[in-house]
Amino acid sequence: MRLKELIVIAWALFLSAACTDGGEPVVVSPLPADGVIRVSAAVAEPFTRAGGEGMTAASLTRFCLHIENKQDEAYTYTALMQKENGSWEAYRPVADGNPSEPLTMLWADGTTPVNVTATTLPVTDFGNEAAVEVEADQSAEADFAASDYLYTAPHEVNPTTGLVGGKLPVELRHLCSRVNIVLDLSNTDADENPVSDLRLEGVSLSRNFNLSGNQWGTAGAAASLIPLRAEYVVGPDGGGAQALYSALLVPQTVKASQFTVGFLMADSYYEWTLEQDMTFDSGKVYTLNLIVGGSTAGRTSVLSPIGAMTNNQ
């Protein structure tokens, strides 16, 4: 019989006999009878301000979890958590992301706190930097969602007070930034979206991230990104049309005159250029409202912003 199986049995025997010598009951332990660490997972407010959902609690099926017991390394674990029949099961992480060996994680006792970190990035070692890379083409909902990485920063959980229903709660938050682009097409009367080939230029698609330190490294080179074509809404009587696009970015500061939004419509090219540096922070949603005016075919038309780009969170 393996050591950890013996520990589980010992836990069950200990907790079943939890009473004083005088027969008076003691305070019931918050831990499950077998001492096994069980997990519940939730996703913080989803990116549903408009357009694509990205990752939600319903779509979350696996994530990587690190539990550090600083007092006893024998109770430190790195696991790949996989949702099976409504419960989160722990497996030993493997490089190819397809685990097969179950992992039993145990509490050392009912009072020793642990440090908890989690992410949907495919990692096996939380001590190394992870490469965060969003899709260059996010025009499909699946590629947009694939760029919505989740993360739980290192934090302490005391099993005496921090468990919910006997389980370790893990709340994952959105790691990237979201940019919503709203095009005011009031001057058009098209029943379908007349915009094509919309792109963001001058954005980094990758950046290293230190999971244990919750710190970002240097961003990659500026590139082009195709956002999700999220919605097209026509107002009453065919007026007041709006086209909405959404993109997920690694957190970064984009440079004035280098960050642009451009697209084609009715054989004309439209472009908006950022006038001052802009920082996109982790977990934040930003909205850029642009009015699309008239233009001369074949020439570049400058889009008029409706105020500055806003941070919705």
Side-chain angles (χ1 to χ4, degrees):
M1 186 176 292
R2 291 183 301 177
L3 175 61
K4 287 190 175 179
E5 292 174 337
L6 291 172
I7 294 175
V8 169
I9 294 172
W11 257 105
L13 292 172
F14 170 76
L15 292 174
S16 65
C19 56
T20 64
D21 291 340
E24 294 296 325
V26 298
V27 177
V28 177
S29 170
L31 304 183
D34 56 7
V36 173
I37 298 175
R38 293 181 176 86
V39 174
S40 64
V43 177
E45 183 180 2
F47 282 173
T48 54
R49 297 283 179 175
E53 280 192 332
M55 288 294 295
T56 65
S59 60
L60 180 66
T61 58
R62 61 167 52 185
F63 63 92
C64 297
L65 176 68
H66 185 65
I67 299 174
E68 181 185 16
N69 185 318
K70 295 183 178 181
Q71 296 187 22
D72 191 340
E73 189 176 345
Y75 295 93
T76 290
Y77 306 96
T78 298
L80 191 151
M81 304 301 300
Q82 191 159 285
K83 198 169 189 179
E84 299 175 359
N85 300 318
S87 299
W88 288 101
E89 303 296 336
Y91 290 88
R92 296 189 184 279
V94 290
D96 64 6
N98 296 305
S100 59
E101 184 180 356
L103 173 64
T104 300
M105 302 185 295
L106 300 173
W107 295 103
D109 51 54
T111 58
T112 303
V114 294
N115 212 40
V116 178
T117 314
T119 183
T120 56
L121 290 164
V123 297
T124 57
D125 186 349
F126 278 73
N128 295 329
E129 283 194 339
V132 182
E133 185 171 355
V134 299
E135 298 289 338
D137 185 351
Q138 298 178 17
S139 58
E141 177 72 42
D143 294 320
F144 178 83
S147 300
D148 190 10
Y149 300 105
L150 304 177
Y151 173 65
T152 300
H155 64 287
E156 187 176 271
V157 176
N158 190 318
T160 304
T161 58
L163 304 189
V164 178
K167 295 181 178 181
L168 174 67
V170 177
E171 184 180 59
L172 293 126
R173 298 183 176 275
H174 300 277
L175 186 59
C176 291
S177 309
R178 175 168 178 162
V179 180
N180 291 329
I181 301 163
V182 181
L183 302 180
D184 185 332
L185 301 170
S186 298
N187 294 324
T188 68
D189 56 2
D191 293 331
E192 297 183 356
N193 191 347
V195 174
S196 64
D197 200 27
L198 189 145
R199 295 173 182 265
L200 278 62
E201 302 286 350
V203 295
S204 296
L205 303 179
S206 62
R207 193 172 182 183
N208 285 345
F209 183 64
N210 185 311
L211 293 163
S212 60
N214 192 15
Q215 293 179 330
W216 290 96
T218 304
S224 174
L225 185 151
I226 302 173
L228 174 69
R229 186 171 171 168
E231 293 178 354
Y232 181 69
V233 180
V234 179
D237 302 321
Q242 285 189 336
L244 172 67
Y245 295 80
S246 295
L248 291 169
L249 307 177
V250 294
Q252 62 189 278
T253 297
V254 293
K255 298 296 184 181
S257 76
Q258 295 181 15
F259 176 75
T260 64
V261 177
F263 60 86
L264 291 170
M265 187 176 76
D267 298 323
S268 295
Y269 180 72
Y270 293 78
E271 185 177 87
W272 174 81
T273 302
L274 183 68
E275 293 184 350
Q276 48 185 278
D277 293 357
M278 179 76 185
T279 298
F280 297 114
D281 290 321
S282 177
K284 303 294 184 181
V285 182
Y286 300 82
T287 299
L288 174 63
N289 294 283
L290 298 172
I291 297 176
V292 181
S295 67
T296 303
R299 298 185 60 184
T300 299
S301 298
V302 178
L303 300 170
S304 302
I306 306 174
M309 191 181 304
T310 59
N311 176 4
N312 296 336
Q313 289 188 342

